[in-house]
Amino acid sequence: MQKERVNKMNDNAYIGRICTDLVLNKKATDDNERQWTRFRLAVPRRFKKEGEKDTDFFNCVAFASAAKNICKYAKKGGRIYVRGENRENNFEKDGVKYYTVELFIKDYHVIDFKEKKQASGVVTEEAPFPPE
């Protein structure tokens, strides 16, 4: 029962539009191949004050079958629901230390699908639900 508990302290869910081209990255390791994708998600603010921007942007990363299916079925500009946990990363470049925060996707649902072209016209392809 304990393993089924979700860490509610770092559980974030967003519905937004994908801002970047989706690229499935692959890296071969000794025993298998790792797959991942990174993209930016534009999420409109619910409430906005006059003179402030009305959209927030989040860096997202998905791995394995989630990455493969997001790249296969989602599209730039399309809507997607993502849920996961924020993780902070840091790296050093040219002597300057940089910090980033990314949403590590645990669950997703594609809302706007890529269109699959056929001889008879345009057909929308349905994506499978992510494994639980």
Side-chain angles (χ1 to χ4, degrees), residues 42-113:
V43 179
R45 287 189 181 170
R46 181 182 258 175
F47 302 103
K48 53 187 169 185
K49 294 180 182 177
E50 197 170 324
E52 280 191 21
K53 67 178 186 172
D54 59 354
T55 303
D56 291 311
F57 295 88
F58 298 95
N59 296 319
C60 300
V61 62
F63 296 96
S65 63
K68 185 178 177 182
N69 286 331
I70 289 171
C71 288
K72 184 175 180 180
Y73 296 109
K75 61 183 177 180
K76 181 179 178 178
R79 291 174 299 157
I80 188 170
Y81 160 83
V82 292
R83 185 183 65 79
E85 62 183 44
N86 284 327
R87 292 195 187 169
E88 182 180 327
N89 300 312
N90 60 61
F91 62 93
E92 193 169 320
K93 183 177 178 182
D94 300 328
V96 179
K97 198 160 190 172
Y98 294 91
Y99 296 90
T100 64
V101 176
E102 293 178 311
L103 180 73
F104 276 52
I105 296 173
K106 294 180 187 177
D107 187 26
Y108 68 94
H109 183 76
V110 177
I111 299 170
D112 295 329
F113 295 94

Side-chain angles (χ1 to χ4, degrees), residues 22-34:
L22 295 168
V23 176
L24 184 62
N25 300 294
K26 299 177 182 181
K27 182 178 181 180
T29 59
D30 293 337
D31 55 347
N32 62 0
E33 182 178 73
R34 293 179 174 255

